[in-house]
Amino acid sequence: MLYICPECHGELCESDNKERMLVCSECKYKIPIISDIPVFVSQLKKEKKHGFSEKIFENPLIYYSYIKAKSLIWKDEDIGINEYTRDNNVLDIGCGPSMKLYYYEKYTNDAMSVTGVDLSLSFILKSKAENPEKKFDFAVASIEKLPFPDKCFDTAIIAFVIHHVPIENFPIFEEILRVTKNHIIILDHIRSDNRPRAAIQMLYWNVMDGGCNYLSKSEWQEFLKPVEVVKMVQTGAIFGHVVKFVCRIK
């Protein structure tokens, strides 16, 4: 995988020092390499966690077990990811500790290549151990500064990430569009327009999820204006609190 500097988009070269790192040829920005994983995001600065699932999210094994247990109670409707990932180069933004959770619909089986990024090094190491094949690459990176050249992926998948992005950082779609050629698949939450139902949803999210940005239907429509929505599924046990989009890049 060819990486670029997340700060200036300059070329990265591996240093000759004993301590492995990538160094930008232009701005000299340095990126450490840990266990063969380029770490573009510092692991020292971690935001305070909110909600039960956000706390267990710190432990890959516990989180994986938690999601599996939830799927036994309620399994959301699929949207048909494989149609847009088969034989394609795929970027998985916020891949977490596993790409084999039910909502991924086993898309990695038929993808030509898969690059997973996440803010957590421990999650990336877990996901890498789960997927040792050559077609997989991994990096610790942020959705706000993706360290990849323009239009280098056919499809991008963003699963349950956007509701964790603060509203002030919401021009993230520009960065996703920059690196993606054809389709963007979004799995996330949607807030009901019915106030009592929305209150129940927010109570659940505050306790069990800890996100900061749960969009309503009209807010999703505004967010997705730069792309063409070709498929949408609304599902979820709590008044349809889960939404899935397949978007075509115009």
Side-chain angles (χ1 to χ4, degrees):
M1 170 54 61
L2 176 64
Y3 296 102
I4 63 171
C5 176
E7 299 299 322
C8 72
H9 291 184
E11 182 181 352
L12 295 177
C13 302
E14 189 164 348
S15 69
D16 296 327
N17 299 335
K18 291 182 180 180
E19 184 179 356
R20 291 188 66 196
M21 65 178 59
L22 298 173
V23 181
C24 177
S25 59
E26 296 184 23
C27 72
K28 307 305 177 184
Y29 186 76
K30 296 180 180 179
I31 299 98
I33 300 174
I34 302 174
S35 300
D36 294 325
I37 301 293
V39 180
F40 293 90
V41 178
S42 172
Q43 298 298 286
L44 298 178
K45 298 178 181 178
K46 290 191 175 181
E47 294 183 3
K48 183 179 179 182
K49 301 296 181 182
H50 305 279
F52 173 71
S53 70
E54 277 294 270
K55 289 178 181 176
I56 66 171
F57 212 100
E58 296 175 352
N59 186 306
L61 180 60
I62 295 177
Y63 179 74
Y64 180 81
S65 301
Y66 170 62
I67 296 297
K68 289 280 287 185
K70 285 210 307 182
S71 70
L72 296 175
I73 300 171
W74 177 277
K75 187 178 183 299
D76 299 330
E77 182 181 346
D78 291 341
I79 196 169
I81 293 175
N82 289 271
E83 180 181 349
Y84 306 95
T85 57
R86 186 178 297 111
D87 299 323
N88 282 339
N89 298 311
V90 180
L91 173 63
D92 191 325
I93 302 172
C95 65
S98 176
M99 296 177 176
K100 300 185 186 300
L101 295 169
Y102 73 93
Y103 51 73
Y104 279 120
E105 301 177 26
K106 300 180 180 179
Y107 85 87
T108 60
N109 292 350
D110 299 323
M112 181 182 297
S113 71
V114 179
T115 299
V117 300
D118 199 281
L119 290 174
S120 167
L121 176 59
S122 64
F123 275 28
I124 287 293
L125 291 172
K126 178 74 166 59
S127 199
K128 182 183 178 183
E130 183 185 73
N131 301 283
E133 299 92 336
K134 290 184 178 180
K135 74 175 184 178
F136 291 91
D137 281 294
F138 294 95
V140 178
S142 167
I143 190 174
E144 298 159 37
K145 292 183 178 181
L146 295 168
F148 307 108
D150 294 355
K151 303 300 179 183
C152 63
F153 298 101
D154 300 301
T155 301
I157 296 176
I158 309 103
F160 301 103
V161 170
I162 290 174
H163 66 279
H164 289 287
V165 179
I167 193 70
E168 61 267 20
N169 296 339
F170 236 45
I172 56 170
F173 220 25
E174 297 175 7
E175 187 69 346
I176 302 168
L177 287 168
R178 181 183 66 78
V179 302
T180 311
K181 287 187 285 190
N182 299 325
H183 292 95
I184 298 171
I185 298 169
I186 297 172
L187 315 179
D188 215 280
H189 295 300
I190 184 168
R191 190 180 77 251
S192 175
D193 291 329
N194 178 286
R195 286 189 178 183
R197 291 185 175 187
I200 294 171
Q201 290 174 334
M202 289 304 302
L203 177 62
Y204 167 78
W205 288 324
N206 287 336
V207 174
M208 303 297 292
D209 188 76
C212 59
N213 204 20
Y214 298 96
L215 303 183
S216 65
K217 182 177 180 179
S218 62
E219 289 168 335
W220 273 116
Q221 290 173 341
E222 181 67 24
F223 179 71
L224 296 173
K225 274 186 176 180
V227 294
E228 176 189 0
V229 177
V230 296
K231 193 184 292 187
M232 172 186 168
V233 169
Q234 187 169 349
T235 182
I238 308 174
F239 309 116
H241 71 299
V242 172
V243 69
K244 303 181 180 184
F245 299 101
V246 174
C247 307
R248 181 185 295 121
I249 295 175
K250 297 176 183 179

